[in-house]
Amino acid sequence: MKTVRKIKIAIGCDSYFPVVNGVIEVVKNQFDYFNQHFETRLLIPKYKNCQYDHLNHMYQIRSIKGRGKCRGAFPNIDHGFKKYLEAFRPDVIHIHSPFNVGKHCLKYAKKHNIPFVFTFHTKFKDDFKRLLPFKWLRALMMHRIMHVINNVTQVYTVNPAMLPVMKEYGYTRQGIVIDNATDLVPFTNREQINQEINKKWNISPTDNVFVYVGRILKYKGIKIIVDALVLYQKYDPNFKMFFVGEGNDLSWLKKYVNKRGTVSNNIIFTGLIENRTELSKIYNRADLSLLPSLFDSVSLTLFEAACFKVPTVTVKDASIAKRLQSNNGFVLPNDPESYASGLHHIMSDQQKLNRVRENTYNTLYITWSKICQIYEKEYRRLIAQK
């Protein structure tokens, strides 16, 4: 019997916990899987006073403080990092951001003639437009990241809708779509879990429940959710809405909700829920996951909610809408009036909603083990070509 050689994998990103976002969750889950099955190392910026599992399989690169909790990694001034890579000798490097960590790893991969792959998660132009004040500076940053991206062995992305975005940015080759996934698993005692959540948050068993899970940021569509729910009240005065997460616009959102009148009685702010079991309980109680974001390429909440047969409701022109074309979710017009009436229509047809629930689970619930096995095949394919 032919023995399959174990490969050595390095995974890198320019941010990590305590920063919380979807890309970091992806990196963590990929690292957790590959670290169980292969020799794997995680390459991330150094954060002060942070404790991680598997520290002996991580390298924390010298860094300086950035915005909020973020830190910028500077591999060029960390001489130990170069020695670390040389000692580990990875067979493949998988990067999830095209900045300093990615740039340094690209040089290493070219020097040693190994595959260097990148997952395209983010609409960088949108990010730069929001964060950088000068057009010339945004153009410079796009030039720098596309230099890295166009020199990798293979680019992956998480949604077919991102392929034309990559071309628009100047990517000159063919990308491959590989889904994101979730580490959550369904409950076997769903009714008992729902009773627990109802008691904890003072919810009636007959109340319809909606949920938003993610960073609380205006550009994620949180305002349209509130505006739509103000109008939805006339159809369903007893619904409950969970906002789960933290972000720069959380205080603004709380004030805005209070200004919109009695809808504030229907809205629950949980803050960030780091415990995955507790987060799962809220998904389990929800009827719909609301995500009217034009920014996300594809949100992890799509797959997390699907684990509990909770369909996602997004808006037209959202990238995520491309994933909801198999009767496994809902796409509504991007205005509060249409979104509100759309929610009413969805909740009024329980027979159809139940069919969509099943389709959501059957088509969108994907585990990280399945996705990482696809990546393993990709790594081996690219290694064989070198």
Side-chain angles (χ1 to χ4, degrees), residues 45-275:
K46 183 175 179 59
Y47 293 87
K48 293 183 179 179
N49 304 318
C50 285
Q51 298 297 318
Y52 303 114
D53 296 331
H54 313 297
L55 267 175
N56 58 328
H57 289 177
M58 304 168 70
Y59 190 93
Q60 299 177 67
I61 305 163
R62 289 183 66 179
S63 63
I64 63 171
K65 183 170 172 46
R67 294 167 57 95
K69 296 178 181 179
C70 295
R71 296 189 69 86
F74 283 87
N76 288 340
I77 62 172
D78 189 333
H79 302 298
F81 180 50
K82 183 178 180 180
K83 293 178 181 178
Y84 184 84
L85 274 180
E86 292 287 354
F88 179 55
R89 288 278 179 167
D91 296 302
V92 60
I93 301 178
H94 190 157
I95 292 295
H96 290 266
S97 56
F99 301 104
N100 287 354
V101 176
K103 184 178 179 181
H104 188 88
C105 288
L106 173 62
K107 292 179 182 177
Y108 177 91
K110 284 189 172 294
K111 176 182 176 182
H112 293 277
N113 193 34
I114 64 170
F116 174 81
V117 303
F118 169 69
T119 297
F120 205 115
H121 296 277
T122 305
K123 295 179 178 178
F124 292 105
K125 276 190 177 179
D126 292 357
D127 256 352
F128 293 159
K129 187 174 183 180
R130 190 176 64 257
L131 297 172
L132 302 176
F134 303 112
K135 188 174 181 179
W136 65 265
L137 185 55
R138 298 194 290 268
L140 176 63
M141 287 302 297
M142 285 301 302
H143 174 76
R144 287 183 173 179
I145 68 168
M146 291 312 301
H147 173 75
V148 174
I149 294 169
N150 274 320
N151 278 280
V152 305
T153 313
Q154 180 64 61
V155 172
Y156 305 101
T157 190
V158 293
N159 189 336
M162 288 297 288
L163 295 174
V165 174
M166 292 159 53
K167 294 292 184 183
E168 176 200 335
Y169 288 2
Y171 182 58
T172 55
R173 287 176 287 157
Q174 184 62 43
I176 295 176
V177 178
I178 299 180
D179 272 320
N180 278 333
T182 180
D183 61 324
L184 303 184
V185 294
F187 292 112
T188 56
N189 56 337
R190 295 194 63 179
E191 288 304 318
Q192 181 182 338
I193 295 297
N194 284 345
Q195 291 173 16
E196 178 185 332
I197 291 298
N198 288 342
K199 182 177 180 180
K200 179 176 181 179
W201 296 103
N202 194 28
I203 300 172
S204 167
T206 59
D207 288 348
N208 294 321
V209 175
F210 308 135
V211 63
Y212 168 92
V213 178
R215 290 179 293 161
I216 308 298
L217 300 166
K218 290 179 183 178
Y219 63 82
K220 304 273 260 182
I222 54 176
K223 183 177 182 293
I224 192 176
I225 293 177
V226 176
D227 292 342
L229 293 178
V230 170
L231 301 172
Y232 177 76
Q233 274 184 298
K234 66 182 179 182
Y235 305 116
D236 179 9
N238 297 317
F239 78 91
K240 292 295 185 289
M241 173 72 206
F242 282 98
F243 279 100
V244 181
E246 62 182 17
N248 294 338
D249 294 323
L250 178 58
S251 60
W252 170 86
L253 181 61
K254 289 181 176 180
K255 292 176 184 176
Y256 185 70
V257 166
N258 289 331
K259 288 180 182 178
R260 297 310 311 266
T262 57
V263 75
S264 61
N265 298 324
N266 302 72
I267 293 178
I268 300 167
F269 293 98
T270 69
L272 177 66
I273 299 179
E274 294 182 325
N275 185 292

Side-chain angles (χ1 to χ4, degrees), residues 181-187 190 280 283-284 300-312 357 360-367:
T182 180
D183 61 324
L184 303 184
V185 294
F187 292 112
R190 295 194 63 179
S280 296
Y283 274 125
N284 188 75
L300 290 179
T301 62
L302 177 71
F303 306 99
E304 292 174 350
C307 174
F308 303 96
K309 300 184 179 182
V310 178
T312 294
R357 282 178 176 275
T360 295
Y361 179 81
N362 291 331
T363 63
L364 294 174
Y365 175 45
I366 308 169
T367 62

